[in-house]
Amino acid sequence: MLSYFRKNIPVGIDDCVGNESEKEVLMMRMYEEHEYCKKPKEPSRLYRIGMFAGMNHVTVKTLRHYDEQGLLKPAYVDEESGYRYYQVSQIADLHQILALKNVGFNLEEIKEIQMGKMDRTQLIRKKQEILGELSRLTDKLAQLESYLAGESLNLSAPVLVKSLPEVTVASMQTVVKSYDALFDAMPKMGEEMERLGCVCAQPEYCFTHYLEPGYKEEQVRIETCEAVTERKEDSELIQFKVFPEVKEAACIFHKGSYNDFSKSYAVVLKYIEENGYEICGNIRESYIDGVWNKESEKEWLSEIQIPVCKIGRQ
Amino acid sequence: MLSYFRKNIPVGIDDCVGNESEKEVLMMRMYEEHEYCKKPKEPSRLYRIGMFAGMNHVTVKTLRHYDEQGLLKPAYVDEESGYRYYQVSQIADLHQILALKNVGFNLEEIKEIQMGKMDRTQLIRKKQEILGELSRLTDKLAQLESYLAGESLNLSAPVLVKSLPEVTVASMQTVVKSYDALFDAMPKMGEEMERLGCVCAQPEYCFTHYLEPGYKEEQVRIETCEAVTERKEDSELIQFKVFPEVKEAACIFHKGSYNDFSKSYAVVLKYIEENGYEICGNIRESYIDGVWNKESEKEWLSEIQIPVCKIGRQ
DNA sequence: CTTGACTCTCCCCTAAGGGGAGACGGTAGC
DNA sequence: GCTACCGTCTCCCCTTAGGGGAGAGTCAAG
């Protein structure tokens, strides 16, 4: 505590300077000689920005930015050179800013805190924010893990959880002997829809709705649906119905022949399990490209949509 | 699957168009009539950007951005109007982009993945990234909790963990009867340093180093240190030494009389405990503003620095 | 032909600074 | 007093993943 001797150095310029006399006092202090220090002209209690930055492990740019934002004004700014001079006691203020930034507050919020507009509720709100971010991040991690577990297989056909909007459809229930017979009834349905004056919705959305959960080898009860712009009169073959919105559905695109559907099912079901979801609705298979517009089976495209919800979150 | 009938629609334009014949084919398909749909001029397999965006729960801006970045080029762009047209099969590509984004990849990385520059190591690196972010976030949470626990007390004098750089000091060991006698030996030390030709380091750093851990009421062995530019010859009173860098030190600023030091100690020690640190070095008290330059005790400023390390991380 | 809904490009904006250019300021050595 | 060198100033552009809007052109329906 050698500076102990310097009792008679003029003091009291804690507030930011504004007039000439204050400036003079500050400059006097800057050039005051230490009792024994051999660098008499080095400012002793006022530091230029580079030194102040170095003392506090921050960059010059950062200090200038805080000055601009009004978070930490230098104790004194030379009018002609524009040089910023900082006091040692401002370390504490900077310290506070850095600590608040560490907790996740942004500069705007920190400024409000400085102005005293800070209460418990804001701290709690920030805590909620962090918790939310934390859960989002753990979700990401789980998905990444599932990618890592499944090799690159599911990188080209990834699972995405999205919502399915409400949709009005023309539907036709059938029981097909096997999955192969799935498309047999379709021509009839097309004719019937044309007869009833149906207009297809845009974008087109044509899918098979599996009416029973689980996998059965035969006697599969399904519903063939096509989105339409409005309900028409029900006929013997066709009923109109509205599917309510599905908040979350795990979806995967399947490219290629329908014989390989099981692979895509494996991927999406694994995803559901590994990411803490459970199936909470009947599965839809949406047909996008197929024999009607693609010559090669390899170009066929479908989407499997499985309504899910997070376990425990009902 | 009503579009089943449309077997004879020209196909095979999966690649992005470039020449005139391809364009014509595409436009043909756009204006193709459905068998039964009543909006014959509505494009059937090509969608404009708004529709394509709506189908996929993304914004138009996003699609345009992906186009610019080369992540998802529209299947066809009208040369005169500049309109972007998307194919249904591109939903799968968009799907992949969104899924990768969900896992935390940025657009640049996604582009690399699309180009096949993707291997397991990158997935693992991304996982490490997420884990790091996760631990940073839990740290934030812990600090926030400690703020919440301590009311607003420590918001004005927050604890910050930072590094202390290597420093060369002149030191003088003494045993003081009580903390009150701490400053008694200082004038002597100042004179001696002057005699030895010491030059104070800039910025000034003058502190008491407590040589024994724990708190003792009397017979405190301390070391008074002042940073200097270079070593000089040791004298009977003064030795020169180099403090190595301290990687992590929990620091707190203390404003006001030294009688209240215990309060600041309480705050910082609580912080250390609550944030999973432990003390791993001797405590320093750095004196910044004091009786030598401030009239009012309220303006005195000191900093308590406690070397710490994360428990378990050595 | 008009209207309204869509789309285009172009420009500026975000948070917290980073990087650099060109011009001064301050100090040290000669 | 001159020069070299470092520190600092302001000003400008850049980062991500798009958002907002202006002004102009397009598309389909009445």
Side-chain angles (χ1 to χ4, degrees):
Chain A
M1 188 61 37
L2 298 158
S3 356
Y4 195 74
F5 298 117
R6 269 175 284 147
K7 279 195 187 169
N8 35 13
I9 294 178
V11 288
I13 319 290
D14 265 338
D15 320 314
C16 234
V17 293
N19 59 46
E20 283 308 302
S21 70
E22 283 180 336
K23 178 182 165 185
E24 280 167 27
V25 174
L26 277 161
M27 295 311 283
M28 261 173 60
R29 284 172 61 193
M30 272 187 58
Y31 291 102
E32 199 89 30
E33 287 200 22
H34 298 205
E35 272 76 21
Y36 66 94
C37 280
K38 294 301 171 251
K39 297 203 283 177
K41 288 207 167 177
E42 185 73 18
S44 80
R45 309 299 285 172
L46 282 178
Y47 298 97
R48 290 194 313 206
I49 197 166
M51 176 74 88
F52 193 71
M55 288 163 61
N56 294 287
H57 317 296
V58 296
T59 67
V60 169
K61 282 278 185 187
T62 302
L63 287 177
R64 282 206 270 254
H65 188 55
Y66 292 171
D67 182 8
E68 273 173 27
Q69 302 299 312
L71 274 118
L72 185 67
K73 292 279 181 201
Y76 163 66
V77 178
D78 188 301
E79 278 184 20
E80 28 192 328
S81 72
Y83 274 32
R84 297 171 175 84
Y85 293 93
Y86 292 86
Q87 274 176 7
V88 186
S89 65
Q90 295 190 283
I91 297 178
D93 302 337
L94 178 57
H95 213 132
Q96 191 199 13
I97 293 172
L98 297 181
L100 288 170
K101 220 157 61 71
N102 264 356
V103 203
F105 289 101
N106 62 35
L107 300 192
E108 199 54 43
E109 292 167 327
I110 293 176
K111 208 154 67 180
E112 285 179 12
I113 293 173
Q114 285 180 340
M115 295 194 286
K117 283 187 207 158
M118 187 55 174
D119 48 5
R120 258 186 113 62
T121 58
Q122 259 182 296
L123 278 175
I124 291 171
R125 197 154 48 76
K126 177 60 71 179
K127 183 182 154 190
Q128 296 305 329
E129 245 174 66
I130 293 182
L131 284 174
E133 215 167 313
L134 214 52
S135 89
R136 245 171 295 138
L137 217 51
T138 49
D139 280 3
K140 278 186 189 180
L141 196 61
Q143 286 182 38
L144 202 54
E145 294 282 9
S146 92
Y147 282 163
L148 271 168
E151 302 293 328
S152 60
L153 176 69
N154 33 15
L155 267 178
S156 55
V159 179
L160 191 67
V161 174
K162 63 180 184 187
S163 67
L164 307 176
E166 183 188 276
V167 62
T168 304
V169 300
S171 85
M172 176 183 67
Q173 287 198 20
T174 35
V175 177
V176 293
K177 288 236 159 58
S178 76
Y179 287 103
D180 295 335
L182 210 147
F183 295 99
D184 292 348
M186 292 214 176
K188 221 178 357 166
M189 180 170 174
E191 288 163 21
E192 179 80 358
M193 280 179 70
E194 199 163 0
R195 198 179 62 78
L196 295 171
C198 288
V199 177
C200 290
Q202 287 299 330
E204 268 180 45
Y205 180 31
C206 170
F207 60 95
T208 296
H209 186 217
Y210 289 87
L211 293 167
E212 294 157 21
Y215 181 84
K216 279 171 39 175
E217 266 305 331
E218 45 183 48
Q219 296 295 328
V220 191
R221 264 188 67 222
I222 61 157
E223 186 176 32
T224 303
C225 303
E226 171 114 26
V228 294
T229 55
E230 55 176 358
R231 303 181 85 114
K232 299 284 177 186
E233 195 86 9
D234 283 7
S235 77
E236 206 169 319
L237 203 64
I238 288 178
Q239 283 98 50
F240 291 90
K241 56 191 332 192
V242 176
F243 281 82
E245 188 199 358
V246 173
K247 291 259 166 56
E248 286 183 307
C251 301
I252 190 169
F253 279 90
H254 174 82
K255 213 159 197 164
S257 157
Y258 299 146
N259 296 330
D260 298 328
F261 255 7
S262 56
K263 285 186 192 164
S264 294
Y265 267 105
V267 171
V268 66
L269 291 174
K270 184 156 166 250
Y271 176 95
I272 289 171
E273 187 178 343
E274 282 174 352
N275 288 277
Y277 288 103
E278 59 186 354
I279 299 175
C280 63
N282 289 330
I283 295 173
R284 307 182 194 174
E285 274 170 19
S286 161
Y287 306 104
I288 297 159
D289 290 327
V291 62
W292 53 94
N293 70 338
K294 297 283 182 187
E295 302 226 6
S296 159
E297 274 200 359
K298 286 180 192 164
E299 294 187 51
W300 292 3
L301 187 64
S302 321
E303 187 181 15
I304 300 169
Q305 302 173 328
I306 308 183
V308 293
C309 43
K310 275 271 182 195
I311 291 176
R313 219 198 282 157
Q314 183 42 359
Chain B
M1 188 60 36
L2 299 158
S3 352
Y4 195 76
F5 298 119
R6 270 175 283 147
K7 277 193 188 172
N8 35 11
I9 292 177
V11 287
I13 318 291
D14 263 338
D15 319 313
C16 235
V17 292
N19 58 46
E20 282 308 300
S21 71
E22 284 181 337
K23 178 182 165 186
E24 280 167 27
V25 175
L26 276 161
M27 295 311 284
M28 260 173 61
R29 283 172 64 193
M30 272 185 60
Y31 290 102
E32 198 87 33
E33 286 201 26
H34 298 204
E35 272 73 23
Y36 64 94
C37 279
K38 295 302 171 249
K39 297 202 282 176
K41 289 209 167 176
E42 184 74 17
S44 79
R45 310 298 286 173
L46 283 178
Y47 298 97
R48 290 193 315 206
I49 197 168
M51 176 75 89
F52 194 71
M55 286 162 63
N56 295 287
H57 317 298
V58 296
T59 68
V60 170
K61 281 276 185 191
T62 301
L63 288 177
R64 282 205 271 252
H65 189 54
Y66 291 170
D67 183 7
E68 273 174 27
Q69 300 301 311
L71 275 120
L72 185 67
K73 293 281 182 198
Y76 164 66
V77 179
D78 188 303
E79 278 185 20
E80 29 194 327
S81 71
Y83 274 32
R84 296 171 176 84
Y85 294 92
Y86 292 86
Q87 272 175 7
V88 187
S89 66
Q90 294 190 283
I91 296 179
D93 303 337
L94 179 58
H95 213 132
Q96 192 199 13
I97 294 171
L98 298 181
L100 289 170
K101 219 157 62 71
N102 263 359
V103 201
F105 289 101
N106 62 36
L107 301 192
E108 198 55 43
E109 292 166 329
I110 293 175
K111 208 154 68 181
E112 283 178 14
I113 293 173
Q114 287 181 341
M115 294 194 289
K117 284 185 202 157
M118 186 57 175
D119 48 3
R120 254 187 118 62
T121 59
Q122 257 181 298
L123 278 175
I124 291 171
R125 197 157 45 76
K126 177 60 72 179
K127 182 182 158 190
Q128 294 306 329
E129 243 175 69
I130 292 182
L131 283 174
E133 214 168 314
L134 214 51
S135 92
R136 246 173 291 136
L137 217 52
T138 49
D139 281 3
K140 278 187 188 178
L141 197 61
Q143 287 183 38
L144 202 54
E145 293 282 9
S146 93
Y147 283 162
L148 271 168
E151 301 292 327
S152 60
L153 176 67
N154 32 15
L155 266 179
S156 54
V159 178
L160 191 66
V161 173
K162 64 180 183 188
S163 65
L164 307 176
E166 182 187 274
V167 63
T168 305
V169 300
S171 86
M172 176 183 67
Q173 287 198 22
T174 34
V175 176
V176 295
K177 291 239 160 53
S178 75
Y179 287 103
D180 295 337
L182 209 146
F183 294 100
D184 292 350
M186 293 219 173
K188 222 178 351 161
M189 177 169 177
E191 287 163 19
E192 178 81 356
M193 282 180 69
E194 198 162 2
R195 199 180 61 78
L196 296 171
C198 289
V199 177
C200 290
Q202 288 297 332
E204 269 179 43
Y205 180 33
C206 169
F207 60 96
T208 296
H209 187 217
Y210 290 88
L211 293 167
E212 296 156 20
Y215 181 84
K216 279 169 39 172
E217 265 306 326
E218 45 185 46
Q219 298 293 331
V220 191
R221 263 187 69 221
I222 62 156
E223 186 176 32
T224 303
C225 303
E226 171 114 22
V228 294
T229 56
E230 53 174 358
R231 304 180 86 113
K232 298 285 176 186
E233 194 88 8
D234 283 7
S235 77
E236 205 168 321
L237 202 65
I238 286 179
Q239 285 95 50
F240 292 90
K241 55 186 340 186
V242 175
F243 280 83
E245 189 199 357
V246 173
K247 290 262 166 55
E248 287 185 306
C251 302
I252 189 169
F253 279 90
H254 174 81
K255 212 159 199 167
S257 157
Y258 299 147
N259 296 328
D260 299 328
F261 255 9
S262 56
K263 283 186 194 164
S264 293
Y265 268 103
V267 171
V268 67
L269 292 173
K270 185 160 165 244
Y271 176 94
I272 289 171
E273 188 179 342
E274 283 175 351
N275 288 276
Y277 288 103
E278 61 186 352
I279 299 174
C280 62
N282 290 329
I283 295 173
R284 306 181 194 174
E285 274 169 20
S286 161
Y287 307 103
I288 297 157
D289 290 327
V291 62
W292 53 91
N293 70 340
K294 298 284 182 184
E295 304 229 2
S296 159
E297 277 200 357
K298 286 180 193 163
E299 294 187 51
W300 291 4
L301 186 65
S302 322
E303 186 181 16
I304 300 168
Q305 302 172 329
I306 308 183
V308 292
C309 42
K310 275 272 181 195
I311 291 177
R313 222 195 282 160
Q314 183 45 359

